[in-house]
Amino acid sequence: MDQKNSMIRVSSAESLRQCRLKVTFNGGVSGVFPVERERRGGVFVKLLDARVFNTITVNPDFGCVEWPGGVDLCPDAMQQAMTGSAAKVERPSPLALCEEAEKNR
């Protein structure tokens, strides 16, 4: 299996009320992911506007959920948070997620 196919990727995502996402991953895991208050600082503050939050898309190249302006969430961290599974590495903090998003711009 090549590396792209072994990576956790978001297959589909839809916005729900109260800054939550209904998400399905390529491995079949699905559920609701809340965008926590800690993630609503920095670049995430614009997601407080429901009109912006509802513009969510799935990036076909990276398999992540994203919004206009370069705001995105890591599929690995999302799935780990939803399943409660322990990662081999420490789960990234909201600040690390923001920094990663900035690097990928």
Side-chain angles (χ1 to χ4, degrees):
M1 180 181 289
D2 67 29
Q3 188 170 354
K4 183 176 180 180
N5 289 330
S6 65
M7 294 175 28
I8 295 171
R9 299 171 60 85
V10 174
S11 303
S12 66
E14 110 183 45
S15 63
L16 301 173
R17 297 174 76 182
Q18 301 175 344
C19 290
R20 296 175 305 135
L21 302 172
K22 181 178 179 184
V23 182
T24 302
F25 297 93
N26 59 336
V29 173
S30 63
V32 175
F33 180 81
V35 180
E36 298 97 356
R37 292 192 181 278
E38 304 87 57
R39 290 203 177 119
R40 294 185 196 168
V43 296
F44 292 93
V45 76
K46 64 179 87 175
L47 299 182
L48 291 172
D49 180 340
R51 292 170 297 186
V52 174
F53 191 81
N54 292 336
T55 63
I56 186 172
T57 60
V58 175
N59 182 304
D61 296 324
F62 300 108
C64 63
V65 295
E66 65 183 9
W67 291 269
V71 178
D72 61 20
L73 296 173
C74 172
D76 294 333
M78 290 175 67
Q79 183 169 323
Q80 290 166 11
M82 289 170 60
T83 62
S85 64
K88 292 181 183 175
V89 295
E90 213 172 304
R91 189 178 300 164
S93 69
L95 180 58
L97 292 172
C98 290
E99 290 171 351
E100 184 67 23
E102 287 296 318
K103 284 193 305 190
N104 290 330
R105 281 185 156 186

